[in-house]
Amino acid sequence: MAGGGGEQVEATPIAAIGRHVGEEVEVAGWLRGLRSSGRIAFLQIRDGTGVCQAVLAAEQVTPEAYRVITALGQESSLRVRGQVRADARAPGGYELLAQSVLPLQDAVDYPITPKEHGVEFLLDHRHLWLRSPRQAAILRIRAELEAALMEWLDQHGFVRVDAPILTPNAAEGTTTLFDVDYFGESAYLTQSGQLYMEAAAMALGKVYCFGPTFRAEKSKTRRHLIEFWMLEPEMAWAGHAENMAVQESLIAHAVQRVLDRRSTELQLLERDVTHLSRVAPPFPRITYDEALRILASKGLALEWGEDFGAPHESALAESFDRPVFVERYPAKIKAFYMQPAPDRPEVVLAADLLASEGYGEIVGGSERIADPDLLAERLREHGLSGDVFSWYMDLRRYGTVPHAGFGLGLERLLAWVCGLEHVRESIPFPRLLNRIRP
Ligand code: 4AD
Ligand code: MG
């Protein structure tokens, strides 16, 4: 088959062909669909930047070439040369009057056809599913969110510091650890970079890490991934109030940038953006105790000291038009490092940020314990070995200061921004309880 090697002109991205009306360009991409008669063929071509229609009249090529081209399968790779014409009816607003079509490969029996497929089938073919317009739109919004979040942090004096993936420390409880044999020593895939960010904050002031984190969670819900990406800012000399202020400004900025720059993608996802356009500081703040009262009034009463489940988080978030902070949780249901409230030590200066529309917790954060004695006591209570945490104790031995930080789950944020039903679509290759392939 023709194509491959040889001299190739640089292809014009489909997203840019509007700037070449009347000119001849070459587009390189994949065949999304094709309609043809004996005299004329319409090829839908996508190249990652956009989609355009190429119109090929039979007399432009030899009869044999026309036969080959019109028999190409979905997702065949090809290059098309032609003149750009503005046409309001064409998808994207422009079409290509093809002078030549050079197939690189005829793809036979592409498994994902325009008909409906079950989600397990699609997940089995995730490596191909990514090519569908909806999945590509989600990936673009994901990249926009990542860039926007880091843009805000970089502009506000935070330094990116990368945390290790292999660690001897259990940061978020010992029940969801992935064991790794580290040359005979026991180690885990990281649950959170927080402890390392606390060290980095003592060196640099304001820092953040962004990377994959792992939880061997036996939960099969629409919000749980086994591997997910977490953004974790940490600030020296900051407390609980400043921690929440940073979160709301950061999230408002990121959502606004997606609204500004990814409206085409949000539209393709049929996302109702009214909720998103309200995402401006300040976000409402309620205490855990107030949350219990709201829940009781909705028939979801909990005992003081019980943790929220998904239905509770949804019910709470439904009561507000933008994300809501729930703060001052009972210490016993939260992590060992959280600072007790000075006025009421049975609660901690922690907040979870719950997204509207039932998406639940997208951020968890807290002020950290600065006092060495209290931290040592908490480590003992949680059965965490002093040996492995000795380096972490050093941060309190040598110039301890109040500090605070949080972890934002990128896929939860993205699922909410895109209005996805399940978090599995928010990561390129989801790792789920029953799935590590592809
Ligand atoms: O609340 P978590 O467990 O907090 C921490 O790990 C802290 N050490 C973070 C910190 O303070 N630096 O997780 C933080 C966020 C959650 O709010 C949620 O958005 C996300 O990470 N997350 C998950 N996302 C997808 N799948 C899972 N299994 C998740 N577990 C947590
Ligand atoms: Mg949490």
Side-chain angles (χ1 to χ4, degrees), residues 136-152 249-269 271-273 275-277 279 408 410 413-420:
I138 296 169
L139 290 186
R140 277 189 190 279
I141 296 174
R142 180 181 169 110
E144 194 71 52
L145 266 183
E146 289 183 10
L149 290 165
M150 288 188 266
E151 172 185 62
W152 191 93
S249 299
L250 172 67
I251 287 172
H253 170 78
V255 168
Q256 192 54 53
R257 182 165 146 179
V258 169
L259 287 172
D260 290 346
R261 302 198 194 172
R262 293 289 158 210
S263 58
T264 311
E265 285 78 8
L266 289 170
Q267 225 165 7
L268 190 146
L269 297 172
R271 178 63 167 127
D272 172 359
V273 294
H275 270 97
L276 299 179
S277 41
V279 179
L408 179 160
L410 182 72
L413 177 67
L414 180 63
W416 165 57
V417 167
C418 293
L420 308 180

CSV table of all heavy atoms in Angstrom, one decimal, residues 136-152 249-269 271-273 275-277 279 408 410 413-420:
chain,number,residue,atom,x,y,z
A,136,ALA,N,-11.3,11.9,24.1
A,136,ALA,CA,-10.3,12.9,23.7
A,136,ALA,C,-10.6,14.2,24.4
A,136,ALA,O,-9.7,14.9,24.9
A,136,ALA,CB,-10.1,13.0,22.2
A,137,ALA,N,-11.8,14.6,24.5
A,137,ALA,CA,-12.2,15.8,25.1
A,137,ALA,C,-11.9,15.8,26.6
A,137,ALA,O,-11.4,16.7,27.2
A,137,ALA,CB,-13.7,16.1,24.9
A,138,ILE,N,-12.2,14.6,27.2
A,138,ILE,CA,-11.9,14.5,28.7
A,138,ILE,C,-10.4,14.7,28.9
A,138,ILE,O,-9.9,15.3,29.8
A,138,ILE,CB,-12.4,13.2,29.2
A,138,ILE,CG1,-13.9,13.1,29.1
A,138,ILE,CG2,-11.9,12.9,30.6
A,138,ILE,CD1,-14.5,11.7,29.4
A,139,LEU,N,-9.6,14.0,28.0
A,139,LEU,CA,-8.1,14.1,28.2
A,139,LEU,C,-7.6,15.6,28.0
A,139,LEU,O,-6.7,16.0,28.7
A,139,LEU,CB,-7.4,13.2,27.2
A,139,LEU,CG,-7.5,11.7,27.5
A,139,LEU,CD1,-6.7,10.9,26.5
A,139,LEU,CD2,-7.2,11.3,28.9
A,140,ARG,N,-8.2,16.3,27.1
A,140,ARG,CA,-7.8,17.7,26.9
A,140,ARG,C,-8.2,18.5,28.1
A,140,ARG,O,-7.4,19.4,28.5
A,140,ARG,CB,-8.5,18.3,25.7
A,140,ARG,CG,-7.8,17.9,24.4
A,140,ARG,CD,-8.4,18.7,23.2
A,140,ARG,NE,-7.8,18.2,22.0
A,140,ARG,CZ,-6.6,18.5,21.5
A,140,ARG,NH1,-5.9,19.4,22.2
A,140,ARG,NH2,-6.2,17.9,20.5
A,141,ILE,N,-9.3,18.3,28.7
A,141,ILE,CA,-9.7,19.0,29.9
A,141,ILE,C,-8.8,18.6,31.1
A,141,ILE,O,-8.4,19.5,31.8
A,141,ILE,CB,-11.2,18.8,30.2
A,141,ILE,CG1,-12.1,19.4,29.1
A,141,ILE,CG2,-11.6,19.5,31.5
A,141,ILE,CD1,-13.5,19.1,29.2
A,142,ARG,N,-8.5,17.4,31.1
A,142,ARG,CA,-7.5,16.9,32.2
A,142,ARG,C,-6.2,17.7,32.1
A,142,ARG,O,-5.7,18.2,33.1
A,142,ARG,CB,-7.3,15.4,32.0
A,142,ARG,CG,-6.3,14.9,33.1
A,142,ARG,CD,-6.1,13.3,32.9
A,142,ARG,NE,-5.0,12.9,33.8
A,142,ARG,CZ,-5.1,12.2,34.9
A,142,ARG,NH1,-6.3,11.7,35.2
A,142,ARG,NH2,-4.0,11.9,35.6
A,143,ALA,N,-5.7,17.8,30.9
A,143,ALA,CA,-4.4,18.5,30.7
A,143,ALA,C,-4.6,20.0,31.0
A,143,ALA,O,-3.7,20.6,31.6
A,143,ALA,CB,-3.9,18.3,29.3
A,144,GLU,N,-5.7,20.5,30.7
A,144,GLU,CA,-5.9,21.9,31.0
A,144,GLU,C,-6.0,22.2,32.5
A,144,GLU,O,-5.4,23.1,33.0
A,144,GLU,CB,-7.3,22.4,30.3
A,144,GLU,CG,-7.5,23.9,30.3
A,144,GLU,CD,-6.6,24.5,29.2
A,144,GLU,OE1,-6.6,24.1,28.1
A,144,GLU,OE2,-5.9,25.5,29.6
A,145,LEU,N,-6.7,21.3,33.2
A,145,LEU,CA,-6.8,21.4,34.6
A,145,LEU,C,-5.4,21.3,35.3
A,145,LEU,O,-5.1,22.1,36.2
A,145,LEU,CB,-7.6,20.2,35.2
A,145,LEU,CG,-9.1,20.5,35.4
A,145,LEU,CD1,-9.7,19.2,36.0
A,145,LEU,CD2,-9.4,21.7,36.3
A,146,GLU,N,-4.6,20.3,34.8
A,146,GLU,CA,-3.3,20.1,35.4
A,146,GLU,C,-2.5,21.4,35.2
A,146,GLU,O,-1.9,21.9,36.2
A,146,GLU,CB,-2.5,19.0,34.7
A,146,GLU,CG,-3.1,17.6,35.1
A,146,GLU,CD,-2.3,16.5,34.4
A,146,GLU,OE1,-1.2,16.7,33.8
A,146,GLU,OE2,-2.8,15.3,34.5
A,147,ALA,N,-2.5,21.9,34.0
A,147,ALA,CA,-1.7,23.1,33.7
A,147,ALA,C,-2.2,24.3,34.6
A,147,ALA,O,-1.5,25.1,35.1
A,147,ALA,CB,-1.8,23.5,32.2
A,148,ALA,N,-3.6,24.4,34.7
A,148,ALA,CA,-4.2,25.6,35.4
A,148,ALA,C,-3.8,25.5,36.9
A,148,ALA,O,-3.5,26.5,37.5
A,148,ALA,CB,-5.7,25.6,35.2
A,149,LEU,N,-3.9,24.3,37.5
A,149,LEU,CA,-3.6,24.2,38.9
A,149,LEU,C,-2.1,24.5,39.2
A,149,LEU,O,-1.8,25.3,40.1
A,149,LEU,CB,-3.8,22.7,39.3
A,149,LEU,CG,-5.3,22.2,39.3
A,149,LEU,CD1,-5.4,20.7,39.4
A,149,LEU,CD2,-6.1,22.9,40.5
A,150,MET,N,-1.3,24.0,38.3
A,150,MET,CA,0.2,24.3,38.6
A,150,MET,C,0.5,25.8,38.2
A,150,MET,O,1.4,26.3,38.9
A,150,MET,CB,1.0,23.3,37.8
A,150,MET,CG,0.9,22.0,38.6
A,150,MET,SD,2.0,20.7,38.0
A,150,MET,CE,0.9,19.9,36.8
A,151,GLU,N,-0.2,26.3,37.3
A,151,GLU,CA,0.0,27.7,36.9
A,151,GLU,C,-0.3,28.6,38.2
A,151,GLU,O,0.5,29.5,38.6
A,151,GLU,CB,-1.0,28.1,35.8
A,151,GLU,CG,-1.0,29.6,35.5
A,151,GLU,CD,-2.1,29.9,34.4
A,151,GLU,OE1,-3.3,29.7,34.7
A,151,GLU,OE2,-1.7,30.4,33.4
A,152,TRP,N,-1.4,28.3,38.8
A,152,TRP,CA,-1.8,29.1,40.0
A,152,TRP,C,-0.7,29.0,41.1
A,152,TRP,O,-0.3,29.9,41.7
A,152,TRP,CB,-3.2,28.7,40.5
A,152,TRP,CG,-3.7,29.6,41.6
A,152,TRP,CD1,-4.6,30.7,41.4
A,152,TRP,CD2,-3.5,29.6,43.0
A,152,TRP,NE1,-4.8,31.3,42.5
A,152,TRP,CE2,-4.2,30.7,43.6
A,152,TRP,CE3,-2.7,28.8,43.8
A,152,TRP,CZ2,-4.1,31.0,44.9
A,152,TRP,CZ3,-2.7,29.1,45.2
A,152,TRP,CH2,-3.4,30.2,45.7
A,249,SER,N,-9.2,29.4,46.1
A,249,SER,CA,-8.7,30.2,45.0
A,249,SER,C,-8.1,29.4,43.9
A,249,SER,O,-8.3,29.6,42.7
A,249,SER,CB,-7.6,31.2,45.6
A,249,SER,OG,-8.1,32.0,46.5
A,250,LEU,N,-7.4,28.3,44.3
A,250,LEU,CA,-6.8,27.4,43.4
A,250,LEU,C,-7.9,26.7,42.5
A,250,LEU,O,-7.8,26.7,41.3
A,250,LEU,CB,-6.0,26.4,44.2
A,250,LEU,CG,-5.4,25.2,43.4
A,250,LEU,CD1,-4.3,25.7,42.5
A,250,LEU,CD2,-4.9,24.1,44.4
A,251,ILE,N,-8.9,26.2,43.1
A,251,ILE,CA,-9.9,25.5,42.4
A,251,ILE,C,-10.7,26.5,41.5
A,251,ILE,O,-11.0,26.2,40.4
A,251,ILE,CB,-10.8,24.7,43.3
A,251,ILE,CG1,-9.9,23.5,43.8
A,251,ILE,CG2,-12.1,24.2,42.7
A,251,ILE,CD1,-10.5,22.7,44.9
A,252,ALA,N,-11.0,27.6,42.0
A,252,ALA,CA,-11.8,28.6,41.2
A,252,ALA,C,-11.0,29.0,40.0
A,252,ALA,O,-11.5,29.1,38.9
A,252,ALA,CB,-12.1,29.8,42.1
A,253,HIS,N,-9.7,29.2,40.2
A,253,HIS,CA,-8.9,29.5,39.0
A,253,HIS,C,-8.9,28.4,38.0
A,253,HIS,O,-9.0,28.7,36.8
A,253,HIS,CB,-7.4,29.8,39.5
A,253,HIS,CG,-6.4,29.9,38.3
A,253,HIS,ND1,-6.3,31.1,37.6
A,253,HIS,CD2,-5.6,29.0,37.8
A,253,HIS,CE1,-5.4,30.9,36.6
A,253,HIS,NE2,-5.0,29.7,36.7
A,254,ALA,N,-8.7,27.2,38.4
A,254,ALA,CA,-8.6,26.0,37.5
A,254,ALA,C,-9.9,25.9,36.7
A,254,ALA,O,-9.9,25.7,35.5
A,254,ALA,CB,-8.2,24.8,38.2
A,255,VAL,N,-11.0,25.9,37.5
A,255,VAL,CA,-12.3,25.8,36.8
A,255,VAL,C,-12.6,26.9,35.8
A,255,VAL,O,-13.0,26.7,34.7
A,255,VAL,CB,-13.5,25.7,37.9
A,255,VAL,CG1,-14.8,25.8,37.2
A,255,VAL,CG2,-13.3,24.4,38.7
A,256,GLN,N,-12.2,28.1,36.2
A,256,GLN,CA,-12.4,29.2,35.3
A,256,GLN,C,-11.6,29.1,34.0
A,256,GLN,O,-12.1,29.3,32.9
A,256,GLN,CB,-12.0,30.5,36.0
A,256,GLN,CG,-12.5,31.8,35.3
A,256,GLN,CD,-14.0,31.8,34.9
A,256,GLN,OE1,-14.8,31.6,35.8
A,256,GLN,NE2,-14.3,32.0,33.7
A,257,ARG,N,-10.4,28.6,34.2
A,257,ARG,CA,-9.5,28.4,33.0
A,257,ARG,C,-10.1,27.4,32.0
A,257,ARG,O,-10.1,27.5,30.8
A,257,ARG,CB,-8.1,28.1,33.4
A,257,ARG,CG,-7.2,28.0,32.2
A,257,ARG,CD,-5.7,28.0,32.5
A,257,ARG,NE,-5.0,27.1,31.5
A,257,ARG,CZ,-3.7,26.9,31.5
A,257,ARG,NH1,-2.9,27.5,32.3
A,257,ARG,NH2,-3.2,26.1,30.6
A,258,VAL,N,-10.7,26.3,32.6
A,258,VAL,CA,-11.3,25.3,31.8
A,258,VAL,C,-12.5,25.9,31.1
A,258,VAL,O,-12.7,25.7,29.9
A,258,VAL,CB,-11.7,24.0,32.6
A,258,VAL,CG1,-12.6,23.1,31.8
A,258,VAL,CG2,-10.4,23.3,33.1
A,259,LEU,N,-13.3,26.7,31.8
A,259,LEU,CA,-14.5,27.3,31.2
A,259,LEU,C,-14.0,28.2,30.0
A,259,LEU,O,-14.7,28.3,29.0
A,259,LEU,CB,-15.3,28.1,32.2
A,259,LEU,CG,-16.1,27.3,33.2
A,259,LEU,CD1,-16.7,28.3,34.3
A,259,LEU,CD2,-17.2,26.5,32.5
A,260,ASP,N,-12.9,29.0,30.2
A,260,ASP,CA,-12.4,29.9,29.2
A,260,ASP,C,-11.9,29.2,28.0
A,260,ASP,O,-12.1,29.6,26.9
A,260,ASP,CB,-11.3,30.8,29.8
A,260,ASP,CG,-11.8,31.8,30.8
A,260,ASP,OD1,-13.1,32.0,30.8
A,260,ASP,OD2,-11.0,32.3,31.5
A,261,ARG,N,-11.1,28.1,28.2
A,261,ARG,CA,-10.3,27.6,27.1
A,261,ARG,C,-10.8,26.2,26.6
A,261,ARG,O,-10.4,25.8,25.5
A,261,ARG,CB,-8.9,27.4,27.5
A,261,ARG,CG,-8.2,28.7,28.0
A,261,ARG,CD,-6.7,28.5,28.0
A,261,ARG,NE,-6.1,29.6,28.8
A,261,ARG,CZ,-4.8,29.7,29.0
A,261,ARG,NH1,-4.0,28.7,28.7
A,261,ARG,NH2,-4.4,30.7,29.7
A,262,ARG,N,-11.7,25.6,27.3
A,262,ARG,CA,-12.2,24.3,26.9
A,262,ARG,C,-13.7,24.2,26.7
A,262,ARG,O,-14.3,23.2,27.0
A,262,ARG,CB,-11.7,23.2,27.9
A,262,ARG,CG,-10.2,23.0,27.8
A,262,ARG,CD,-9.7,22.4,26.6
A,262,ARG,NE,-8.3,22.6,26.3
A,262,ARG,CZ,-7.7,22.7,25.1
A,262,ARG,NH1,-8.5,22.5,24.0
A,262,ARG,NH2,-6.5,22.9,25.0
A,263,SER,N,-14.3,25.3,26.2
A,263,SER,CA,-15.7,25.3,26.1
A,263,SER,C,-16.2,24.3,25.0
A,263,SER,O,-17.2,23.7,25.2
A,263,SER,CB,-16.2,26.7,25.8
A,263,SER,OG,-15.6,27.2,24.7
A,264,THR,N,-15.4,24.2,24.0
A,264,THR,CA,-15.8,23.2,22.9
A,264,THR,C,-15.9,21.8,23.5
A,264,THR,O,-16.8,21.1,23.2
A,264,THR,CB,-14.7,23.2,21.8
A,264,THR,OG1,-14.5,24.6,21.4
A,264,THR,CG2,-15.2,22.4,20.6
A,265,GLU,N,-14.9,21.5,24.3
A,265,GLU,CA,-14.9,20.1,24.9
A,265,GLU,C,-16.0,19.9,25.9
A,265,GLU,O,-16.7,18.9,25.9
A,265,GLU,CB,-13.5,19.8,25.6
A,265,GLU,CG,-12.4,19.6,24.6
A,265,GLU,CD,-11.8,20.8,24.0
A,265,GLU,OE1,-12.2,22.0,24.4
A,265,GLU,OE2,-10.9,20.7,23.1
A,266,LEU,N,-16.3,21.0,26.7
A,266,LEU,CA,-17.4,20.9,27.7
A,266,LEU,C,-18.7,20.7,26.9
A,266,LEU,O,-19.6,19.9,27.4
A,266,LEU,CB,-17.4,22.1,28.6
A,266,LEU,CG,-16.3,22.2,29.6
A,266,LEU,CD1,-16.3,23.6,30.3
A,266,LEU,CD2,-16.4,21.1,30.6
A,267,GLN,N,-18.8,21.4,25.8
A,267,GLN,CA,-20.0,21.3,25.0
A,267,GLN,C,-20.2,19.9,24.4
A,267,GLN,O,-21.3,19.3,24.4
A,267,GLN,CB,-19.9,22.3,23.8
A,267,GLN,CG,-21.2,23.0,23.6
A,267,GLN,CD,-20.9,24.2,22.7
A,267,GLN,OE1,-19.8,24.4,22.2
A,267,GLN,NE2,-21.9,25.1,22.6
A,268,LEU,N,-19.1,19.3,23.9
A,268,LEU,CA,-19.1,18.0,23.4
A,268,LEU,C,-19.5,17.0,24.4
A,268,LEU,O,-20.2,16.0,24.2
A,268,LEU,CB,-17.7,17.6,22.9
A,268,LEU,CG,-17.6,16.4,22.0
A,268,LEU,CD1,-16.5,16.6,21.0
A,268,LEU,CD2,-17.2,15.2,22.9
A,269,LEU,N,-19.1,17.2,25.7
A,269,LEU,CA,-19.5,16.4,26.8
A,269,LEU,C,-20.9,16.7,27.3
A,269,LEU,O,-21.4,16.0,28.2
A,269,LEU,CB,-18.5,16.5,28.0
A,269,LEU,CG,-17.1,16.1,27.7
A,269,LEU,CD1,-16.2,16.5,28.9
A,269,LEU,CD2,-17.0,14.6,27.4
A,271,ARG,N,-21.9,19.1,29.0
A,271,ARG,CA,-21.8,19.5,30.4
A,271,ARG,C,-22.6,20.8,30.6
A,271,ARG,O,-22.4,21.8,29.9
A,271,ARG,CB,-20.3,19.8,30.8
A,271,ARG,CG,-20.1,20.3,32.2
A,271,ARG,CD,-20.5,19.2,33.2
A,271,ARG,NE,-20.0,19.5,34.5
A,271,ARG,CZ,-20.9,19.5,35.6
A,271,ARG,NH1,-22.1,19.3,35.4
A,271,ARG,NH2,-20.4,19.7,36.8
A,272,ASP,N,-23.5,20.7,31.6
A,272,ASP,CA,-24.2,21.9,32.0
A,272,ASP,C,-23.3,22.7,32.9
A,272,ASP,O,-22.9,22.3,34.0
A,272,ASP,CB,-25.5,21.5,32.8
A,272,ASP,CG,-26.2,22.6,33.4
A,272,ASP,OD1,-25.8,23.8,33.3
A,272,ASP,OD2,-27.3,22.4,34.0
A,273,VAL,N,-22.9,23.9,32.4
A,273,VAL,CA,-21.8,24.6,33.1
A,273,VAL,C,-22.3,25.6,34.1
A,273,VAL,O,-21.5,26.4,34.7
A,273,VAL,CB,-20.9,25.3,32.1
A,273,VAL,CG1,-20.1,24.3,31.3
A,273,VAL,CG2,-21.6,26.3,31.2
A,275,HIS,N,-23.4,25.2,37.2
A,275,HIS,CA,-22.7,24.9,38.5
A,275,HIS,C,-21.3,25.5,38.4
A,275,HIS,O,-20.8,26.1,39.4
A,275,HIS,CB,-22.7,23.4,38.8
A,275,HIS,CG,-23.9,23.0,39.6
A,275,HIS,ND1,-25.0,22.4,39.0
A,275,HIS,CD2,-24.2,23.1,40.9
A,275,HIS,CE1,-25.9,22.1,39.9
A,275,HIS,NE2,-25.4,22.5,41.0
A,276,LEU,N,-20.6,25.2,37.3
A,276,LEU,CA,-19.2,25.5,37.3
A,276,LEU,C,-19.0,27.0,37.3
A,276,LEU,O,-18.0,27.5,37.8
A,276,LEU,CB,-18.5,24.9,36.0
A,276,LEU,CG,-18.5,23.4,35.9
A,276,LEU,CD1,-17.9,22.9,34.6
A,276,LEU,CD2,-17.9,22.7,37.1
A,277,SER,N,-19.9,27.7,36.6
A,277,SER,CA,-19.7,29.2,36.5
A,277,SER,C,-19.9,29.9,37.9
A,277,SER,O,-19.6,31.0,38.1
A,277,SER,CB,-20.6,29.8,35.4
A,277,SER,OG,-21.8,29.2,35.5
A,279,VAL,N,-18.5,28.7,40.6
A,279,VAL,CA,-17.4,28.3,41.5
A,279,VAL,C,-16.4,29.5,41.7
A,279,VAL,O,-15.4,29.6,41.1
A,279,VAL,CB,-16.7,27.1,40.9
A,279,VAL,CG1,-15.5,26.6,41.7
A,279,VAL,CG2,-17.6,25.9,40.7
A,408,LEU,N,-5.4,17.1,46.6
A,408,LEU,CA,-6.5,17.3,45.7
A,408,LEU,C,-6.4,16.1,44.7
A,408,LEU,O,-5.4,15.9,44.0
A,408,LEU,CB,-6.4,18.6,44.9
A,408,LEU,CG,-7.4,19.0,43.9
A,408,LEU,CD1,-7.4,20.5,43.7
A,408,LEU,CD2,-7.1,18.3,42.6
A,410,LEU,N,-7.0,14.6,41.4
A,410,LEU,CA,-7.2,15.1,40.1
A,410,LEU,C,-8.4,14.5,39.4
A,410,LEU,O,-9.2,15.2,38.7
A,410,LEU,CB,-6.0,15.0,39.2
A,410,LEU,CG,-6.1,15.6,37.8
A,410,LEU,CD1,-6.1,17.1,37.9
A,410,LEU,CD2,-5.1,15.1,36.8
A,413,LEU,N,-11.7,15.8,40.8
A,413,LEU,CA,-11.9,17.1,40.3
A,413,LEU,C,-12.4,17.1,38.8
A,413,LEU,O,-13.4,17.8,38.4
A,413,LEU,CB,-10.7,18.0,40.4
A,413,LEU,CG,-10.7,19.4,39.9
A,413,LEU,CD1,-11.7,20.2,40.8
A,413,LEU,CD2,-9.4,20.1,39.9
A,414,LEU,N,-11.7,16.3,38.0
A,414,LEU,CA,-12.0,16.2,36.6
A,414,LEU,C,-13.4,15.6,36.4
A,414,LEU,O,-14.1,16.1,35.5
A,414,LEU,CB,-10.9,15.4,35.9
A,414,LEU,CG,-11.1,15.2,34.4
A,414,LEU,CD1,-11.0,16.6,33.7
A,414,LEU,CD2,-10.0,14.3,33.9
A,415,ALA,N,-13.7,14.6,37.1
A,415,ALA,CA,-15.0,13.9,36.9
A,415,ALA,C,-16.1,14.9,37.2
A,415,ALA,O,-17.1,15.0,36.5
A,415,ALA,CB,-15.1,12.7,37.9
A,416,TRP,N,-15.9,15.8,38.2
A,416,TRP,CA,-16.9,16.8,38.5
A,416,TRP,C,-17.0,17.9,37.4
A,416,TRP,O,-18.0,18.2,36.9
A,416,TRP,CB,-16.6,17.4,39.9
A,416,TRP,CG,-17.3,18.7,40.2
A,416,TRP,CD1,-18.7,18.8,40.2
A,416,TRP,CD2,-16.7,19.9,40.5
A,416,TRP,NE1,-19.0,20.1,40.6
A,416,TRP,CE2,-17.8,20.8,40.8
A,416,TRP,CE3,-15.4,20.4,40.7
A,416,TRP,CZ2,-17.5,22.2,41.1
A,416,TRP,CZ3,-15.2,21.7,41.0
A,416,TRP,CH2,-16.2,22.6,41.2
A,417,VAL,N,-15.8,18.4,37.1
A,417,VAL,CA,-15.8,19.4,36.0
A,417,VAL,C,-16.4,18.9,34.7
A,417,VAL,O,-17.2,19.7,34.1
A,417,VAL,CB,-14.3,19.9,35.8
A,417,VAL,CG1,-14.2,20.7,34.5
A,417,VAL,CG2,-13.8,20.7,37.0
A,418,CYS,N,-16.2,17.7,34.4
A,418,CYS,CA,-16.7,17.2,33.1
A,418,CYS,C,-18.1,16.6,33.3
A,418,CYS,O,-18.8,16.3,32.3
A,418,CYS,CB,-15.8,16.1,32.6
A,418,CYS,SG,-14.2,16.6,32.0
A,419,GLY,N,-18.6,16.4,34.5
A,419,GLY,CA,-19.9,15.8,34.7
A,419,GLY,C,-19.9,14.3,34.4
A,419,GLY,O,-20.9,13.8,33.9
A,420,LEU,N,-18.8,13.6,34.7
A,420,LEU,CA,-18.7,12.2,34.4
A,420,LEU,C,-19.5,11.4,35.4
A,420,LEU,O,-19.5,11.7,36.6
A,420,LEU,CB,-17.3,11.7,34.3
A,420,LEU,CG,-16.3,12.5,33.4
A,420,LEU,CD1,-14.9,12.0,33.5
A,420,LEU,CD2,-16.8,12.6,32.0
